[in-house]
């Protein structure tokens, strides 16, 4: 039985000054901004991993089951004091912003692992595995404008409450071949079914549910070329889901010259990753040489 806990805390404070300009066209009037920001944030991450593994009398036959959890909490407070000048048809318009934003994000993930290995002949092992998980995240952003020296005017256009849930079922099979200590070949494929659900609670209620199904192949080859040199090649396919801040459709205009907003309909990003490594180490002379090459391609990149 293996139990691996992990706890981390973080606290950050930052003050910043920024200015910017934008042009509509060559020799056209420009917009400008000057802003001061004061930001404080804190949070924690708690991770736990429990695994039980049983070895049968037959060498290479094993059964293991695992359970893992993750809990996160992040909160931040941001004060913005900014001045802007916008030009329209040759006329200038001034605008001031003095606002306070409170942003709270909570998340938790519960997952499991079931794996079984079976020897095939003397030099090969077949593995079957299943990995389910549920990830839930909540975000609550409230923005207040300054009036009479207090941040007392609630701004609904810059406030948002958003929930996100990712349910995943991942099952796969892999084959590992070790004819000797100098060579190893492993290849496998997983099938993953995921449902991404995004729920906006405020300022209006809306829901987006997106199902995804993917085959995720993987391959690893390691060869010992000589007593001092080794070569390894690794390939895998994987998916990445948008974060809750990327899904949360709340307007961010702390820099009005570059306004942004999240998109609840963002899809998963599907990536192929390839790595090759050559290593040489001579213990007698103390010389070593390493060469690495990486390649990655992503569709629906966020």
């Amino acid at each position: 039985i293996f139990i691996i806990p992990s706890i981390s805390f973080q606290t950050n404070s930052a003050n910043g000054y920024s200015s910017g300009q934008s042009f509509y066209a060559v020799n056209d009037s420009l917009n400008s901004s000057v802003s001061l920001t004061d930001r404080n944030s804190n949070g924690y991450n708690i991770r736990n991993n429990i695994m039980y593994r049983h070895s049968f009398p037959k060498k290479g036959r094993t059964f293991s089951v695992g359970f893992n959890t993750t809990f996160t909490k992040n909160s931040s407070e941001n004060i913005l004091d900014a001045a802007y000048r916008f030009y329209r048809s040759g006329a200038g318009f001034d605008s001031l912003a003095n606002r306070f934003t409170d942003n709270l994000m909570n998340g938790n993930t519960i997952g499991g692992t079931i794996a079984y290995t079976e020897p095939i002949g003397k030099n090969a092992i077949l593995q079957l595995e299943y990995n389910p998980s549920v990830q839930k995240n909540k975000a609550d952003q409230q923005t207040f404008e300054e009036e009479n020296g207090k941040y007392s005017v609630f701004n609904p256009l810059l406030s948002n409450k958003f929930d996100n849930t990712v349910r995943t079922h991942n099952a796969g099979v892999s084959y590992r071949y070790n004819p000797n200590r100098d060579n190893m070949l492993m290849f496998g494929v997983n099938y993953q079914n995921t449902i991404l659900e995004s729920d906006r609670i405020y300022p209006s209620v809306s829901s987006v549910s997106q199902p995804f199904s993917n085959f995720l192949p993987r391959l690893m080859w390691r060869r010992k070329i000589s007593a001092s040199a080794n070569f390894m090649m690794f390939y895998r396919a994987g998916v990445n889901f948008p974060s809750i801040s990327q899904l949360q459709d709340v307007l961010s205009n702390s820099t009005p010259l570059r306004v942004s907003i999240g998109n609840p309909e963002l899809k998963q990003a599907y990536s192929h990753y390839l790595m090759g490594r050559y290593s040489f180490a001579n213990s007698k002379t103390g010389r070593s040489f390493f060469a690495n090459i990486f390649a990655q391609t992503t569709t629906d990149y966020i």
Side-chain angles (χ1 to χ4, degrees):
I1 299 177
F2 304 91
I3 302 176
I4 306 176
S6 174
I7 302 176
S8 63
F9 298 89
Q10 59 185 18
T11 301
N12 297 297
S13 297
N15 297 311
Y17 167 84
S18 66
S19 63
Q21 295 177 326
S22 66
F23 293 84
Y24 286 105
V26 178
N27 298 323
D28 197 352
S29 299
L30 57 82
N31 298 326
S32 62
S33 68
V34 177
S35 62
L36 295 173
T37 58
D38 183 5
R39 179 183 178 88
N40 295 292
S41 62
N42 60 79
Y44 64 80
N45 298 278
I46 302 176
R47 295 182 176 88
N48 296 282
N49 189 3
I50 302 175
M51 175 175 287
Y52 169 79
R53 177 175 295 168
H54 175 74
S55 296
F56 294 90
K58 185 176 182 179
K59 185 179 179 180
R61 179 181 292 173
T62 65
F63 173 78
S64 60
V65 58
F67 178 73
N68 59 81
T69 59
T70 301
F71 300 94
T72 63
K73 182 178 181 180
N74 296 280
S75 61
S76 64
E77 296 180 348
N78 186 75
I79 296 177
L80 173 68
D81 186 3
Y84 311 105
R85 169 158 288 189
F86 304 98
Y87 287 88
R88 297 291 185 274
S89 302
F93 302 90
D94 293 331
S95 176
L96 299 176
N98 194 345
R99 65 173 61 102
F100 169 81
T101 301
D102 185 15
N103 200 343
L104 177 63
M105 293 187 179
N106 295 317
N108 65 81
T109 302
I110 299 176
T113 301
I114 300 174
Y116 174 79
T117 63
E118 178 67 24
I120 301 177
K122 296 182 179 181
N123 303 314
I125 291 180
L126 183 71
Q127 176 172 301
L128 304 174
E129 60 178 331
Y130 171 59
N131 306 285
S133 68
V134 178
Q135 178 182 350
K136 294 186 176 183
N137 296 285
K138 297 178 179 292
D140 186 359
Q141 177 172 306
Q142 299 184 36
T143 301
F144 298 86
E145 304 291 342
E146 187 269 342
E147 185 178 68
N148 300 324
K150 297 182 179 180
Y151 298 104
S152 56
V153 180
F154 181 69
N155 189 332
L157 296 178
L158 303 181
S159 301
N160 185 276
K161 192 172 183 180
F162 195 88
D163 291 351
N164 172 244
T165 303
V166 181
R167 293 182 173 87
T168 302
H169 295 274
N170 184 302
V173 57
S174 61
Y175 176 83
R176 188 179 67 189
Y177 179 64
N178 283 89
N180 49 59
R181 293 187 300 176
D182 297 338
N183 293 278
M184 191 278 289
L185 174 66
M186 187 279 294
F187 58 88
V189 63
N190 282 49
Y191 175 78
Q192 179 168 298
N193 177 264
T194 303
I195 298 178
L196 174 63
E197 297 177 336
S198 302
D199 298 313
R200 184 177 65 208
I201 302 172
Y202 182 86
S204 61
V205 178
S206 66
S207 299
V208 176
S209 180
Q210 301 185 84
F212 301 98
S213 296
N214 302 100
F215 286 98
L216 307 175
R218 61 188 184 277
L219 169 70
M220 184 171 68
W221 177 47
R222 185 178 68 240
R223 179 178 175 81
K224 187 174 182 180
I225 302 174
S226 66
S228 304
N230 293 273
F231 176 77
M232 185 188 74
M233 183 179 70
F234 176 76
Y235 160 80
R236 69 173 175 85
V239 295
N240 291 306
F241 292 93
S243 66
I244 190 169
S245 59
Q246 294 168 331
L247 294 167
Q248 188 179 12
D249 55 344
V250 57
L251 185 68
S252 175
N253 69 341
S254 57
T255 305
L257 308 187
R258 190 177 59 191
V259 177
S260 64
I261 190 171
N263 181 7
E265 297 185 1
L266 284 175
K267 301 183 181 299
Q268 63 176 4
Y270 188 94
S271 300
H272 297 275
Y273 176 80
L274 178 66
M275 181 194 74
R277 177 174 182 175
Y278 172 82
S279 61
F280 175 86
N282 191 321
S283 59
K284 295 181 180 180
T285 61
R287 295 179 177 179
S288 60
F289 174 79
F290 301 90
N292 299 277
I293 184 170
F294 305 90
Q296 181 173 339
T297 179
T298 303
T299 57
D300 291 323
Y301 180 77
I302 303 172

